[in-house]
């Protein structure tokens, strides 16, 4: 066989095999190389951000955990998704596209538990809101997280690095694992039942990005298998690809988290 024929055959085989598709999980799951199991795209990224979008295959992740495409994509021609389902279906059919079956071990079957615990979650949300409003009336509107460094000089020094972070994408943080782990240690923990109310955690950072309290409750329910801060960064990057590290730094400064801002300044 001539060399050009061999090259043509190789190119044909390369196009015929979709390297992007996971070799382990179905379309609506992604492979977790750390835990060696399949995770749910819905649990990691939440539902599609707007109508007529659906999950990309394996939420845009390859089997090494790298982002190779956006987690969401527009519906194919002739299909719609007004209910923000995981997959699009034919317009006007009134039925949702079936969920693919058959994959390896899941990383956590949480969705069924959420359906069972939804009334309890709603009660907890209402109670927490009432306690927070009562505390704000009796105390100052800002109470820093215990152990955080909120001195004026340190905060001003850290804020000076914000211009250097403004041009860098927020997605870079997902690649800088050491910095991300330091921020997770600082921002994810919350005080126990007997502790003081805290500001400046991942829960409050999510509110700065406009996410509802119910999303934070869901993200914290995935601990310790998945970090709420990492889930927040992934969600913001998916919804706002133009989000920057400078914006994150501004939110941290507004929350008084000079310690976290100092860690973030390592990327400046």
């Amino acid at each position: 066989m001539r060399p050009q024929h061999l090259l043509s055959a190789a190119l044909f085989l390369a196009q015929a095999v979709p390297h992007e598709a996971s070799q382990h999980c179905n379309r609506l799951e992604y492979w977790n190389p750390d835990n060696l199991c399949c995770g749910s795209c819905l649990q990691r990224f939440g539902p599609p951000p707007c109508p007529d979008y659906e999950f990309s295959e394996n939420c845009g992740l390859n089997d090494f955990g790298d982002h190779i495409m956006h987690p969401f994509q527009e519906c194919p021609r002739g299909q719609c998704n007004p209910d923000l389902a995981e997959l699009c279906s034919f317009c006007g059919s009134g039925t949702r596209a079936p969920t693919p079956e058959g994959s390896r071990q899941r990383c956590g079957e949480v969705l069924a538990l959420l359906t069972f615990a939804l009334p309890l979650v709603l009660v907890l949300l209402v109670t927490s809101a009432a306690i927070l409003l009562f505390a704000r009336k009796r105390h100052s509107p800002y109470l820093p997280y215990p152990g955080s460094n909120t001195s004026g000089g340190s905060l001003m020094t850290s804020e000076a690095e914000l211009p250097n972070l403004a041009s860098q994408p927020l997605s870079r943080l997902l690649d800088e694992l050491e910095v991300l782990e330091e921020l997770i240690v600082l921002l994810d923990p919350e005080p126990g039942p007997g502790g003081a109310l805290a500001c400046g955690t991942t829960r409050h950072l999510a509110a700065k990005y406009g996410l509802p309290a119910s999303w934070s409750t869901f993200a914290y329910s995935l601990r310790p298998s998945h970090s709420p801060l990492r889930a927040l960064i992934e969600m913001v990057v998916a919804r706002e690809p133009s989000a920057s590290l400078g914006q994150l730094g501004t939110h941290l400064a507004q929350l008084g988290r000079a310690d976290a801002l100092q860690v973030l300044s390592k990327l400046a």
Side-chain angles (χ1 to χ4, degrees):
M1 182 179 291
R2 294 182 179 180
Q4 57 267 33
H5 292 166
L6 289 175
L7 179 59
S8 300
L11 290 175
F12 175 78
L13 291 176
Q15 294 175 354
V17 180
H19 295 284
E20 295 82 1
S22 172
Q23 302 300 311
H24 309 288
C25 309
N26 66 41
R27 189 191 189 290
L28 295 176
E29 296 177 330
Y30 65 94
W31 179 248
N32 187 324
D34 298 325
N35 299 332
L36 301 180
C37 57
C38 294
S40 167
C41 293
L42 182 63
Q43 291 181 18
R44 179 164 180 174
F45 294 102
C50 52
D52 297 333
Y53 276 77
E54 65 178 1
F55 278 108
S56 302
E57 188 166 18
N58 307 125
C59 12
L61 298 169
N62 61 18
D63 285 344
F64 299 101
D66 301 320
H67 289 267
I68 57 176
M69 65 179 67
H70 198 278
F72 302 101
Q73 64 184 12
E74 291 189 66
C75 292
R77 183 182 299 274
Q79 296 188 19
C80 305
N81 189 10
D83 300 323
L84 305 182
E86 296 172 85
L87 292 176
C88 301
S89 57
F90 289 107
C91 298
S93 63
T95 58
R96 294 189 176 187
T99 301
E101 298 180 355
S103 64
R104 294 192 178 183
Q105 177 187 2
R106 270 67 172 180
C107 295
E109 301 293 343
V110 186
L111 294 177
L113 293 177
L114 287 179
T115 302
F116 174 78
L118 183 58
L120 178 60
V121 171
L122 293 177
V123 171
L124 291 176
L125 288 176
V126 173
T127 304
S128 300
I131 294 175
L132 182 59
L133 290 175
F134 179 76
R136 285 183 174 180
K137 291 181 180 180
R138 297 189 58 183
H139 303 284
S140 62
Y142 170 69
L143 183 61
Y145 187 81
S148 64
N149 183 1
T150 56
S151 61
S154 176
L155 186 58
M156 292 178 61
T157 301
S158 300
E159 285 182 328
E161 302 292 343
L162 291 180
N164 299 327
L165 297 172
S167 60
Q168 301 189 46
L170 181 62
S171 57
R172 181 189 172 191
L173 188 56
L174 297 174
D175 299 323
E176 301 289 345
L177 298 183
E178 292 185 4
V179 175
L180 179 59
E181 287 299 325
E182 289 187 61
L183 291 176
I184 288 174
V185 172
L186 291 174
L187 299 175
D188 274 358
E190 294 188 305
L197 292 174
C199 289
T201 65
T202 298
R203 190 181 298 273
H204 302 91
L205 188 60
K208 287 287 185 181
Y209 279 105
L211 294 175
S214 57
W215 184 92
S216 297
T217 300
F218 173 75
Y220 270 88
S221 71
L222 301 180
R223 296 179 69 189
S225 61
H226 198 70
S227 159
L229 178 62
R230 185 183 183 95
L232 172 62
I233 299 301
E234 291 171 343
M235 171 63 74
V236 174
V237 169
R239 293 193 174 192
E240 303 177 34
S242 61
S244 67
L245 290 175
Q247 184 185 30
L248 174 60
T250 299
H251 291 332
L252 292 174
Q254 292 172 348
L255 294 172
R257 294 307 301 263
D259 52 348
L261 189 55
Q262 187 173 6
V263 172
L264 185 65
S265 66
K266 295 179 181 181
L267 302 181

